[in-house]
Tab-separated table of all heavy atoms in Angstrom:
chain	number	residue	atom	x	y	z
A	285	ALA	N	163.105	124.516	72.190
A	285	ALA	CA	163.198	125.728	71.393
A	285	ALA	C	161.821	126.163	70.938
A	285	ALA	O	160.929	125.342	70.751
A	285	ALA	CB	164.105	125.502	70.211
A	286	ALA	N	161.637	127.456	70.730
A	286	ALA	CA	160.344	128.006	70.328
A	286	ALA	C	159.870	127.427	69.003
A	286	ALA	O	158.678	127.269	68.786
A	286	ALA	CB	160.427	129.520	70.242
A	287	ALA	N	160.801	127.112	68.111
A	287	ALA	CA	160.430	126.597	66.798
A	287	ALA	C	159.749	125.235	66.897
A	287	ALA	O	158.994	124.870	66.004
A	287	ALA	CB	161.653	126.511	65.901
A	288	ASN	N	160.003	124.490	67.957
A	288	ASN	CA	159.435	123.156	68.101
A	288	ASN	C	158.108	123.145	68.845
A	288	ASN	O	157.464	122.113	68.898
A	288	ASN	CB	160.423	122.245	68.823
A	288	ASN	CG	161.684	122.035	68.010
A	288	ASN	OD1	161.639	122.044	66.788
A	288	ASN	ND2	162.788	121.866	68.680
A	289	ARG	N	157.717	124.268	69.428
A	289	ARG	CA	156.465	124.311	70.189
A	289	ARG	C	155.282	124.521	69.258
A	289	ARG	O	155.372	125.277	68.290
A	289	ARG	CB	156.502	125.442	71.219
A	289	ARG	CG	157.531	125.220	72.297
A	289	ARG	CD	157.475	126.300	73.332
A	289	ARG	NE	157.777	127.588	72.686
A	289	ARG	CZ	157.627	128.766	73.259
A	289	ARG	NH1	157.181	128.853	74.485
A	289	ARG	NH2	157.933	129.869	72.624
A	290	PRO	N	154.158	123.876	69.555
A	290	PRO	CA	152.953	124.143	68.766
A	290	PRO	C	152.532	125.603	68.926
A	290	PRO	O	152.760	126.207	69.967
A	290	PRO	CB	151.899	123.223	69.387
A	290	PRO	CG	152.642	122.246	70.213
A	290	PRO	CD	153.946	122.884	70.590
A	291	LYS	N	151.921	126.149	67.892
A	291	LYS	CA	151.426	127.521	67.936
A	291	LYS	C	149.924	127.498	68.183
A	291	LYS	O	149.201	126.721	67.577
A	291	LYS	CB	151.719	128.241	66.625
A	291	LYS	CG	153.183	128.460	66.397
A	291	LYS	CD	153.433	129.186	65.105
A	291	LYS	CE	154.928	129.369	64.904
A	291	LYS	NZ	155.218	130.079	63.661
A	292	VAL	N	149.485	128.373	69.078
A	292	VAL	CA	148.069	128.520	69.389
A	292	VAL	C	147.695	129.970	69.122
A	292	VAL	O	148.341	130.882	69.632
A	292	VAL	CB	147.779	128.165	70.864
A	292	VAL	CG1	146.324	128.397	71.201
A	292	VAL	CG2	148.197	126.731	71.163
A	293	ALA	N	146.671	130.178	68.327
A	293	ALA	CA	146.247	131.535	68.002
A	293	ALA	C	145.080	131.945	68.882
A	293	ALA	O	144.147	131.172	69.119
A	293	ALA	CB	145.835	131.627	66.537
A	294	PHE	N	145.142	133.159	69.363
A	294	PHE	CA	144.038	133.787	70.089
A	294	PHE	C	143.628	134.990	69.261
A	294	PHE	O	144.407	135.925	69.089
A	294	PHE	CB	144.485	134.210	71.484
A	294	PHE	CG	143.423	134.960	72.242
A	294	PHE	CD1	142.459	134.267	72.953
A	294	PHE	CD2	143.375	136.334	72.218
A	294	PHE	CE1	141.468	134.950	73.642
A	294	PHE	CE2	142.390	137.021	72.900
A	294	PHE	CZ	141.432	136.332	73.608
A	295	VAL	N	142.415	134.954	68.708
A	295	VAL	CA	141.960	136.014	67.819
A	295	VAL	C	140.696	136.637	68.414
A	295	VAL	O	139.692	135.959	68.601
A	295	VAL	CB	141.660	135.479	66.399
A	295	VAL	CG1	141.217	136.601	65.480
A	295	VAL	CG2	142.887	134.768	65.840
A	296	SER	N	140.773	137.920	68.705
A	296	SER	CA	139.634	138.662	69.236
A	296	SER	C	138.909	139.367	68.099
A	296	SER	O	139.520	139.763	67.114
A	296	SER	CB	140.137	139.698	70.250
A	296	SER	OG	139.121	140.616	70.567
A	297	ASN	N	137.607	139.563	68.270
A	297	ASN	CA	136.854	140.254	67.225
A	297	ASN	C	136.660	141.740	67.515
A	297	ASN	O	135.965	142.427	66.788
A	297	ASN	CB	135.501	139.580	67.010
A	297	ASN	CG	134.609	139.684	68.227
A	297	ASN	OD1	135.031	140.102	69.299
A	297	ASN	ND2	133.372	139.267	68.073
A	298	ASN	N	137.274	142.227	68.603
A	298	ASN	CA	137.167	143.648	68.929
A	298	ASN	C	138.310	144.049	69.858
A	298	ASN	O	138.973	143.189	70.431
A	298	ASN	CB	135.799	143.973	69.543
A	298	ASN	CG	135.578	143.249	70.846
A	298	ASN	OD1	136.319	143.433	71.801
A	298	ASN	ND2	134.547	142.415	70.905
A	299	PRO	N	138.544	145.351	70.002
A	299	PRO	CA	139.684	145.821	70.798
A	299	PRO	C	139.346	146.132	72.255
A	299	PRO	O	140.111	146.806	72.929
A	299	PRO	CB	140.097	147.097	70.055
A	299	PRO	CG	138.804	147.643	69.541
A	299	PRO	CD	137.987	146.421	69.181
A	300	PHE	N	138.219	145.646	72.778
A	300	PHE	CA	137.812	145.990	74.135
A	300	PHE	C	138.882	145.587	75.153
A	300	PHE	O	139.554	144.561	74.989
A	300	PHE	CB	136.487	145.342	74.489
A	300	PHE	CG	135.335	145.813	73.650
A	300	PHE	CD1	134.367	144.941	73.236
A	300	PHE	CD2	135.221	147.139	73.257
A	300	PHE	CE1	133.301	145.361	72.456
A	300	PHE	CE2	134.170	147.581	72.484
A	300	PHE	CZ	133.209	146.687	72.082
A	301	PRO	N	139.056	146.376	76.212
A	301	PRO	CA	140.101	146.113	77.218
A	301	PRO	C	140.029	144.723	77.845
A	301	PRO	O	141.053	144.175	78.230
A	301	PRO	CB	139.869	147.196	78.268
A	301	PRO	CG	139.214	148.306	77.528
A	301	PRO	CD	138.349	147.629	76.486
A	302	PHE	N	138.846	144.137	77.909
A	302	PHE	CA	138.723	142.781	78.455
A	302	PHE	C	139.701	141.817	77.800
A	302	PHE	O	140.288	140.964	78.455
A	302	PHE	CB	137.287	142.267	78.263
A	302	PHE	CG	137.160	140.788	78.479
A	302	PHE	CD1	137.055	140.274	79.763
A	302	PHE	CD2	137.165	139.904	77.415
A	302	PHE	CE1	136.947	138.912	79.965
A	302	PHE	CE2	137.066	138.540	77.605
A	302	PHE	CZ	136.955	138.046	78.899
A	303	TRP	N	139.890	141.956	76.502
A	303	TRP	CA	140.736	141.026	75.763
A	303	TRP	C	142.204	141.152	76.150
A	303	TRP	O	142.976	140.212	75.950
A	303	TRP	CB	140.525	141.177	74.259
A	303	TRP	CG	139.125	140.817	73.886
A	303	TRP	CD1	138.167	141.652	73.378
A	303	TRP	CD2	138.502	139.546	74.032
A	303	TRP	NE1	136.995	140.978	73.200
A	303	TRP	CE2	137.166	139.670	73.596
A	303	TRP	CE3	138.928	138.308	74.500
A	303	TRP	CZ2	136.264	138.610	73.605
A	303	TRP	CZ3	138.030	137.248	74.511
A	303	TRP	CH2	136.724	137.407	74.062
A	304	SER	N	142.604	142.270	76.718
A	304	SER	CA	143.980	142.394	77.212
A	304	SER	C	144.210	141.455	78.387
A	304	SER	O	145.288	140.878	78.530
A	304	SER	CB	144.268	143.839	77.624
A	304	SER	OG	144.194	144.677	76.487
A	305	TYR	N	143.189	141.292	79.226
A	305	TYR	CA	143.290	140.329	80.337
A	305	TYR	C	143.361	138.904	79.798
A	305	TYR	O	144.142	138.076	80.277
A	305	TYR	CB	142.102	140.463	81.282
A	305	TYR	CG	142.070	141.768	82.022
A	305	TYR	CD1	141.120	142.729	81.711
A	305	TYR	CD2	142.990	142.042	83.025
A	305	TYR	CE1	141.083	143.945	82.386
A	305	TYR	CE2	142.960	143.252	83.707
A	305	TYR	CZ	142.013	144.191	83.385
A	305	TYR	OH	141.985	145.388	84.056
A	306	ALA	N	142.550	138.623	78.801
A	306	ALA	CA	142.572	137.290	78.190
A	306	ALA	C	143.924	137.016	77.545
A	306	ALA	O	144.474	135.914	77.652
A	306	ALA	CB	141.448	137.166	77.166
A	307	GLU	N	144.478	138.029	76.884
A	307	GLU	CA	145.803	137.894	76.263
A	307	GLU	C	146.869	137.606	77.324
A	307	GLU	O	147.721	136.727	77.140
A	307	GLU	CB	146.155	139.169	75.513
A	307	GLU	CG	147.533	139.152	74.884
A	307	GLU	CD	147.867	140.445	74.168
A	307	GLU	OE1	147.020	141.358	74.090
A	307	GLU	OE2	148.994	140.542	73.653
A	308	ALA	N	146.826	138.326	78.431
A	308	ALA	CA	147.795	138.105	79.512
A	308	ALA	C	147.682	136.687	80.048
A	308	ALA	O	148.699	136.031	80.315
A	308	ALA	CB	147.575	139.121	80.626
A	309	GLY	N	146.467	136.192	80.194
A	309	GLY	CA	146.270	134.818	80.652
A	309	GLY	C	146.818	133.798	79.673
A	309	GLY	O	147.442	132.810	80.070
A	310	CYS	N	146.618	134.038	78.395
A	310	CYS	CA	147.156	133.141	77.363
A	310	CYS	C	148.679	133.111	77.426
A	310	CYS	O	149.292	132.037	77.390
A	310	CYS	CB	146.717	133.585	75.980
A	310	CYS	SG	144.991	133.299	75.609
A	311	ASN	N	149.273	134.287	77.523
A	311	ASN	CA	150.736	134.365	77.564
A	311	ASN	C	151.292	133.716	78.830
A	311	ASN	O	152.336	133.052	78.793
A	311	ASN	CB	151.193	135.815	77.439
A	311	ASN	CG	150.990	136.348	76.046
A	311	ASN	OD1	151.123	135.630	75.062
A	311	ASN	ND2	150.642	137.613	75.943
A	312	GLN	N	150.600	133.888	79.940
A	312	GLN	CA	151.049	133.281	81.196
A	312	GLN	C	150.964	131.752	81.126
A	312	GLN	O	151.837	131.056	81.637
A	312	GLN	CB	150.205	133.794	82.351
A	312	GLN	CG	150.665	133.296	83.698
A	312	GLN	CD	149.844	133.881	84.841
A	312	GLN	OE1	148.884	134.607	84.623
A	312	GLN	NE2	150.237	133.563	86.050
A	313	ALA	N	149.937	131.244	80.491
A	313	ALA	CA	149.750	129.795	80.404
A	313	ALA	C	150.591	129.145	79.313
A	313	ALA	O	150.787	127.929	79.326
A	313	ALA	CB	148.275	129.482	80.158
A	314	ALA	N	151.111	129.931	78.387
A	314	ALA	CA	151.853	129.367	77.249
A	314	ALA	C	153.061	128.560	77.691
A	314	ALA	O	153.290	127.458	77.182
A	314	ALA	CB	152.276	130.483	76.300
A	315	GLY	N	153.844	129.090	78.616
A	315	GLY	CA	155.047	128.383	79.070
A	315	GLY	C	154.736	127.023	79.663
A	315	GLY	O	155.238	125.998	79.183
A	316	PRO	N	153.897	126.975	80.697
A	316	PRO	CA	153.568	125.681	81.290
A	316	PRO	C	152.883	124.720	80.314
A	316	PRO	O	153.045	123.509	80.423
A	316	PRO	CB	152.614	126.034	82.431
A	316	PRO	CG	152.919	127.443	82.774
A	316	PRO	CD	153.341	128.087	81.478
A	317	ALA	N	152.141	125.269	79.352
A	317	ALA	CA	151.452	124.415	78.385
A	317	ALA	C	152.377	123.959	77.256
A	317	ALA	O	152.022	123.083	76.477
A	317	ALA	CB	150.252	125.148	77.796
A	318	GLY	N	153.545	124.597	77.147
A	318	GLY	CA	154.499	124.216	76.112
A	318	GLY	C	154.090	124.654	74.716
A	318	GLY	O	154.376	123.971	73.737
A	319	VAL	N	153.404	125.801	74.622
A	319	VAL	CA	152.963	126.298	73.318
A	319	VAL	C	153.443	127.728	73.122
A	319	VAL	O	153.813	128.413	74.066
A	319	VAL	CB	151.426	126.243	73.174
A	319	VAL	CG1	150.922	124.823	73.301
A	319	VAL	CG2	150.742	127.163	74.171
A	320	GLU	N	153.415	128.165	71.885
A	320	GLU	CA	153.661	129.567	71.541
A	320	GLU	C	152.318	130.200	71.235
A	320	GLU	O	151.554	129.667	70.429
A	320	GLU	CB	154.568	129.664	70.320
A	320	GLU	CG	154.822	131.071	69.864
A	320	GLU	CD	155.649	131.143	68.592
A	320	GLU	OE1	156.230	130.119	68.174
A	320	GLU	OE2	155.707	132.240	68.004
A	321	VAL	N	151.999	131.305	71.886
A	321	VAL	CA	150.720	131.975	71.669
A	321	VAL	C	150.909	133.112	70.668
A	321	VAL	O	151.822	133.921	70.796
A	321	VAL	CB	150.144	132.535	72.987
A	321	VAL	CG1	148.888	133.346	72.725
A	321	VAL	CG2	149.845	131.411	73.957
A	322	ILE	N	150.027	133.159	69.686
A	322	ILE	CA	149.991	134.236	68.710
A	322	ILE	C	148.678	134.971	68.946
A	322	ILE	O	147.605	134.383	68.819
A	322	ILE	CB	150.050	133.688	67.274
A	322	ILE	CG1	151.330	132.891	67.077
A	322	ILE	CG2	149.926	134.820	66.266
A	322	ILE	CD1	151.328	132.042	65.826
A	323	VAL	N	148.763	136.235	69.333
A	323	VAL	CA	147.564	137.016	69.633
A	323	VAL	C	147.302	137.999	68.506
A	323	VAL	O	148.202	138.718	68.073
A	323	VAL	CB	147.725	137.774	70.967
A	323	VAL	CG1	146.509	138.639	71.245
A	323	VAL	CG2	147.958	136.792	72.103
A	324	ARG	N	146.074	138.029	68.060
A	324	ARG	CA	145.645	138.994	67.056
A	324	ARG	C	144.350	139.623	67.542
A	324	ARG	O	143.388	138.915	67.843
A	324	ARG	CB	145.395	138.329	65.689
A	324	ARG	CG	146.629	137.677	65.084
A	324	ARG	CD	147.618	138.736	64.624
A	324	ARG	NE	148.706	138.154	63.899
A	324	ARG	CZ	149.887	137.848	64.419
A	324	ARG	NH1	150.116	138.039	65.697
A	324	ARG	NH2	150.845	137.339	63.674
A	325	LYS	N	144.353	140.937	67.647
A	325	LYS	CA	143.127	141.660	67.960
A	325	LYS	C	143.164	142.976	67.225
A	325	LYS	O	144.232	143.563	67.038
A	325	LYS	CB	142.932	141.844	69.466
A	325	LYS	CG	144.003	142.585	70.180
A	325	LYS	CD	143.715	142.624	71.676
A	325	LYS	CE	144.857	143.328	72.379
A	325	LYS	NZ	144.624	143.442	73.794
A	326	PRO	N	142.017	143.441	66.776
A	326	PRO	CA	141.997	144.663	65.985
A	326	PRO	C	142.326	145.887	66.827
A	326	PRO	O	141.980	145.950	68.004
A	326	PRO	CB	140.565	144.738	65.461
A	326	PRO	CG	139.776	143.943	66.436
A	326	PRO	CD	140.691	142.879	66.952
A	327	SER	N	143.002	146.840	66.225
A	327	SER	CA	143.243	148.096	66.910
A	327	SER	C	141.964	148.923	66.908
A	327	SER	O	141.717	149.710	67.808
A	327	SER	CB	144.383	148.860	66.244
A	327	SER	OG	144.081	149.082	64.881
A	328	GLN	N	141.153	148.697	65.893
A	328	GLN	CA	139.841	149.329	65.766
A	328	GLN	C	138.909	148.318	65.127
A	328	GLN	O	139.362	147.339	64.549
A	328	GLN	CB	139.908	150.573	64.893
A	328	GLN	CG	140.820	151.648	65.423
A	328	GLN	CD	140.906	152.826	64.459
A	328	GLN	OE1	140.260	152.854	63.435
A	328	GLN	NE2	141.723	153.791	64.801
A	329	GLY	N	137.635	148.559	65.183
A	329	GLY	CA	136.675	147.629	64.603
A	329	GLY	C	136.335	147.953	63.167
A	329	GLY	O	135.183	147.888	62.795
A	330	ASP	N	137.323	148.305	62.353
A	330	ASP	CA	137.023	148.719	60.985
A	330	ASP	C	136.999	147.540	60.007
A	330	ASP	O	137.308	146.410	60.345
A	330	ASP	CB	137.980	149.812	60.513
A	330	ASP	CG	139.423	149.345	60.368
A	330	ASP	OD1	139.664	148.133	60.366
A	330	ASP	OD2	140.300	150.212	60.239
A	331	ALA	N	136.612	147.819	58.781
A	331	ALA	CA	136.432	146.788	57.755
A	331	ALA	C	137.725	146.055	57.429
A	331	ALA	O	137.714	144.851	57.180
A	331	ALA	CB	135.849	147.404	56.487
A	332	ARG	N	138.859	146.754	57.432
A	332	ARG	CA	140.134	146.082	57.132
A	332	ARG	C	140.442	145.014	58.169
A	332	ARG	O	140.923	143.933	57.827
A	332	ARG	CB	141.273	147.087	57.098
A	332	ARG	CG	141.282	147.971	55.885
A	332	ARG	CD	142.401	148.945	55.990
A	332	ARG	NE	142.213	149.656	57.260
A	332	ARG	CZ	142.623	150.865	57.535
A	332	ARG	NH1	143.287	151.532	56.644
A	332	ARG	NH2	142.388	151.438	58.683
A	333	GLU	N	140.184	145.310	59.421
A	333	GLU	CA	140.434	144.334	60.484
A	333	GLU	C	139.511	143.132	60.347
A	333	GLU	O	139.920	142.003	60.549
A	333	GLU	CB	140.271	144.993	61.860
A	333	GLU	CG	141.267	146.090	62.142
A	333	GLU	CD	142.708	145.594	62.199
A	333	GLU	OE1	142.941	144.404	62.447
A	333	GLU	OE2	143.608	146.411	61.984
A	334	ARG	N	138.248	143.372	60.010
A	334	ARG	CA	137.324	142.248	59.819
A	334	ARG	C	137.796	141.367	58.668
A	334	ARG	O	137.712	140.148	58.743
A	334	ARG	CB	135.912	142.775	59.573
A	334	ARG	CG	135.275	143.358	60.828
A	334	ARG	CD	133.798	143.641	60.637
A	334	ARG	NE	133.524	144.611	59.584
A	334	ARG	CZ	133.490	145.923	59.748
A	334	ARG	NH1	133.727	146.441	60.931
A	334	ARG	NH2	133.216	146.724	58.734
A	335	LYS	N	138.311	141.977	57.607
A	335	LYS	CA	138.828	141.209	56.468
A	335	LYS	C	140.012	140.344	56.900
A	335	LYS	O	140.122	139.184	56.518
A	335	LYS	CB	139.242	142.158	55.339
A	335	LYS	CG	139.677	141.452	54.089
A	335	LYS	CD	139.976	142.446	52.980
A	335	LYS	CE	140.443	141.731	51.732
A	335	LYS	NZ	140.728	142.671	50.653
A	336	LYS	N	140.906	140.895	57.730
A	336	LYS	CA	142.047	140.119	58.231
A	336	LYS	C	141.576	138.924	59.056
A	336	LYS	O	142.115	137.827	58.943
A	336	LYS	CB	142.955	140.995	59.086
A	336	LYS	CG	143.771	141.986	58.318
A	336	LYS	CD	144.615	142.803	59.287
A	336	LYS	CE	145.301	143.952	58.608
A	336	LYS	NZ	146.056	144.772	59.559
A	337	ARG	N	140.558	139.127	59.894
A	337	ARG	CA	140.047	138.032	60.714
A	337	ARG	C	139.453	136.936	59.848
A	337	ARG	O	139.645	135.749	60.109
A	337	ARG	CB	139.036	138.545	61.730
A	337	ARG	CG	139.668	139.313	62.875
A	337	ARG	CD	138.698	139.564	64.005
A	337	ARG	NE	137.500	140.272	63.601
A	337	ARG	CZ	137.395	141.588	63.468
A	337	ARG	NH1	138.440	142.354	63.696
A	337	ARG	NH2	136.257	142.141	63.116
A	338	ARG	N	138.720	137.335	58.802
A	338	ARG	CA	138.171	136.325	57.891
A	338	ARG	C	139.296	135.523	57.246
A	338	ARG	O	139.205	134.310	57.095
A	338	ARG	CB	137.304	136.986	56.820
A	338	ARG	CG	135.934	137.379	57.309
A	338	ARG	CD	134.998	137.712	56.158
A	338	ARG	NE	135.494	138.770	55.297
A	338	ARG	CZ	135.249	140.072	55.462
A	338	ARG	NH1	134.507	140.474	56.465
A	338	ARG	NH2	135.743	140.960	54.619
A	339	ARG	N	140.372	136.214	56.872
A	339	ARG	CA	141.517	135.525	56.259
A	339	ARG	C	142.141	134.546	57.248
A	339	ARG	O	142.468	133.412	56.903
A	339	ARG	CB	142.554	136.535	55.794
A	339	ARG	CG	143.742	135.884	55.129
A	339	ARG	CD	144.737	136.936	54.608
A	339	ARG	NE	145.998	136.295	54.417
A	339	ARG	CZ	147.000	136.314	55.284
A	339	ARG	NH1	146.892	136.964	56.406
A	339	ARG	NH2	148.128	135.691	55.037
A	340	LEU	N	142.295	134.960	58.495
A	340	LEU	CA	142.862	134.077	59.509
A	340	LEU	C	141.995	132.839	59.712
A	340	LEU	O	142.508	131.736	59.835
A	340	LEU	CB	143.017	134.810	60.845
A	340	LEU	CG	144.167	135.784	60.950
A	340	LEU	CD1	144.080	136.555	62.252
A	340	LEU	CD2	145.496	135.061	60.852
A	341	ARG	N	140.686	133.032	59.736
A	341	ARG	CA	139.791	131.890	59.935
A	341	ARG	C	139.850	130.919	58.771
A	341	ARG	O	139.598	129.732	58.930
A	341	ARG	CB	138.362	132.372	60.138
A	341	ARG	CG	138.110	132.949	61.507
A	341	ARG	CD	136.628	133.107	61.779
A	341	ARG	NE	135.976	134.021	60.858
A	341	ARG	CZ	135.795	135.314	61.065
A	341	ARG	NH1	136.227	135.856	62.178
A	341	ARG	NH2	135.188	136.068	60.179
A	342	SER	N	140.201	131.411	57.586
A	342	SER	CA	140.218	130.549	56.407
A	342	SER	C	141.511	129.749	56.265
A	342	SER	O	141.590	128.845	55.444
A	342	SER	CB	139.996	131.383	55.144
A	342	SER	OG	141.151	132.184	54.870
A	343	LEU	N	142.508	130.074	57.081
A	343	LEU	CA	143.801	129.381	56.969
A	343	LEU	C	143.708	127.953	57.468
A	343	LEU	O	142.993	127.662	58.419
A	343	LEU	CB	144.876	130.108	57.770
A	343	LEU	CG	145.275	131.494	57.271
A	343	LEU	CD1	146.259	132.120	58.241
A	343	LEU	CD2	145.874	131.407	55.901
A	344	GLU	N	144.435	127.084	56.833
A	344	GLU	CA	144.567	125.713	57.317
A	344	GLU	C	145.391	125.733	58.600
A	344	GLU	O	146.208	126.626	58.792
A	344	GLU	CB	145.231	124.852	56.262
A	344	GLU	CG	144.399	124.647	55.023
A	344	GLU	CD	143.130	123.886	55.275
A	344	GLU	OE1	143.151	122.953	56.114
A	344	GLU	OE2	142.106	124.206	54.663
A	345	PRO	N	145.244	124.754	59.468
A	345	PRO	CA	145.944	124.758	60.757
A	345	PRO	C	147.454	124.890	60.671
A	345	PRO	O	148.066	125.482	61.550
A	345	PRO	CB	145.569	123.405	61.367
A	345	PRO	CG	144.295	123.044	60.707
A	345	PRO	CD	144.346	123.637	59.330
A	346	ASN	N	148.090	124.428	59.620
A	346	ASN	CA	149.559	124.445	59.551
A	346	ASN	C	150.098	125.622	58.756
A	346	ASN	O	151.290	125.703	58.500
A	346	ASN	CB	150.080	123.131	58.973
A	346	ASN	CG	149.815	121.982	59.919
A	346	ASN	OD1	149.863	122.141	61.126
A	346	ASN	ND2	149.504	120.838	59.361
A	347	GLN	N	149.247	126.543	58.330
A	347	GLN	CA	149.729	127.691	57.563
A	347	GLN	C	150.167	128.800	58.488
A	347	GLN	O	149.749	128.898	59.632
A	347	GLN	CB	148.628	128.210	56.641
A	347	GLN	CG	148.361	127.279	55.472
A	347	GLN	CD	147.323	127.866	54.561
A	347	GLN	OE1	146.346	128.448	55.001
A	347	GLN	NE2	147.530	127.699	53.272
A	348	SER	N	150.993	129.682	57.967
A	348	SER	CA	151.514	130.825	58.711
A	348	SER	C	150.446	131.894	58.874
A	348	SER	O	149.554	132.028	58.057
A	348	SER	CB	152.717	131.412	57.970
A	348	SER	OG	153.109	132.613	58.548
A	349	PHE	N	150.558	132.712	59.933
A	349	PHE	CA	149.638	133.801	60.175
A	349	PHE	C	150.159	135.109	59.597
A	349	PHE	O	149.595	136.144	59.802
A	349	PHE	CB	149.390	133.974	61.670
A	349	PHE	CG	148.456	132.951	62.206
A	349	PHE	CD1	148.951	131.788	62.743
A	349	PHE	CD2	147.108	133.144	62.149
A	349	PHE	CE1	148.098	130.827	63.220
A	349	PHE	CE2	146.245	132.198	62.637
A	349	PHE	CZ	146.734	131.029	63.171
A	350	ASN	N	151.265	135.091	58.900
A	350	ASN	CA	151.823	136.332	58.347
A	350	ASN	C	151.201	136.681	57.034
A	350	ASN	O	150.749	135.972	56.281
A	350	ASN	CB	153.351	136.205	58.171
A	350	ASN	CG	154.013	136.048	59.518
A	350	ASN	OD1	153.529	136.576	60.515
A	350	ASN	ND2	155.101	135.329	59.540
């Protein structure tokens, strides 16, 4: 079940199209790796998004990303 799989976060620091390819690769590898991938990338490079990324980096490994 998805609830029992480890969660792996992929956090981009910008919205460039390259990261969409990286996201697709993460999602494709998630099943065989037995993990759930959580992708976060900014819609724009504004200050609010940078603040969210700082918050994500400050979280302990077992805390929620919500």
Side-chain angles (χ1 to χ4, degrees):
N288 295 329
R289 294 184 298 170
K291 293 181 181 180
V292 177
F294 175 85
V295 181
S296 167
N297 65 351
N298 63 61
F300 296 141
F302 166 81
W303 296 115
S304 296
Y305 293 109
E307 178 181 357
C310 288
N311 288 325
Q312 184 177 4
V319 299
E320 177 184 348
V321 174
I322 300 166
V323 177
R324 298 289 187 263
K325 59 183 177 178
S327 57
Q328 299 177 2
D330 67 14
R332 287 178 304 207
E333 296 296 337
R334 288 190 299 273
K335 185 176 179 180
K336 287 179 189 177
R337 286 192 303 277
R338 282 194 303 270
R339 181 177 161 263
L340 284 173
R341 284 194 298 267
S342 71
L343 293 175
E344 293 296 323
N346 293 325
Q347 288 183 320
S348 171
F349 283 93
N350 295 329

